[in-house]
Amino acid sequence: MGKPAKSQPQPQPEPEPETKSQRVDPPDVEQLGRSSWTLLHSIAASYPDKPDDTTQNDMKQFVTLFGKFYPCWFCAEDFNKYVEKNKPEVTDSDSFGKWLCRAHNDVNKKLGKPEFDCNLWKQRWKDGWDN
C-alpha cells in the first residue's frame, strides 16, 4: 500500500453577490425614533448616581447636540423646543432618567401613543422587571 494522500486544502466558496435581501434601506422616521429612544434611555440607565460637575455639563451639552444633529428635522425641532422649555435634569441618574421619560412621553402624546409611567423607568431601562 502506498502512502495516504495528503489532504488538499478545500477551495473556499466564492462570496455570494449582494442580493436584494442583504440590502437595508435607511431607517424611516419610526425606526429612527425607536432606535434613538433606546439609545437615550440606555445612556440614562448608565448615567452616574453622583455625577461630577463636568459630567453634568457634558450631558447637557450632549442633549443639546443630539437635538441639533438629529436627522429628522421636525423631530429635532420638537425635541429642541422641549429641551428649551424643560432643561435637562442631570443632577443624578434618577432625575435624568425621569426627565428623559417625560420628554419621550411628550412625543408619545403627540403621536397618540400611551404614556409610560416614569416612576418605572429604572425597571424598563436599567434593572429589568421582577418576574
Side-chain angles (χ1 to χ4, degrees):
M1 289 198 122
K3 291 182 181 177
K6 289 184 179 177
S7 61
Q8 296 289 325
Q10 296 296 316
Q12 295 297 314
E14 291 291 317
E16 290 186 32
E18 189 175 291
T19 63
K20 186 174 182 172
S21 65
Q22 293 172 316
R23 295 180 187 167
V24 178
D25 289 327
D28 62 20
V29 173
E30 290 179 13
Q31 292 169 315
L32 185 61
R34 282 191 300 272
S35 298
S36 298
W37 285 118
T38 297
L39 172 67
L40 291 171
H41 288 299
S42 297
I43 289 171
S46 67
Y47 190 69
D49 288 327
K50 296 179 181 179
D52 60 25
D53 290 344
T54 300
T55 300
Q56 291 181 48
N57 289 328
D58 287 349
M59 185 54 70
K60 289 176 190 175
Q61 185 176 16
F62 170 78
V63 169
T64 300
L65 292 172
F66 183 85
K68 181 176 181 177
F69 291 105
Y70 197 74
C72 165
W73 68 267
F74 58 90
C75 308
E77 194 173 89
D78 281 351
F79 186 75
N80 290 332
K81 286 178 185 175
Y82 184 86
V83 170
E84 186 63 34
K85 188 176 173 183
N86 305 277
K87 299 295 183 198
E89 297 175 19
V90 297
T91 55
D92 56 59
S93 178
D94 193 52
S95 296
F96 185 49
K98 286 179 179 174
W99 177 88
L100 200 54
C101 180
R102 290 189 300 273
H104 194 166
N105 277 339
D106 189 65
V107 173
N108 285 342
K109 197 182 314 180
K110 290 175 186 172
L111 297 176
K113 293 182 177 182
E115 292 183 46
F116 184 79
D117 181 349
C118 292
N119 291 315
L120 302 175
W121 84 270
K122 281 187 182 180
Q123 285 90 335
R124 171 63 181 94
W125 295 104
K126 186 174 184 175
D127 302 329
W129 301 98
D130 294 329
N131 292 328

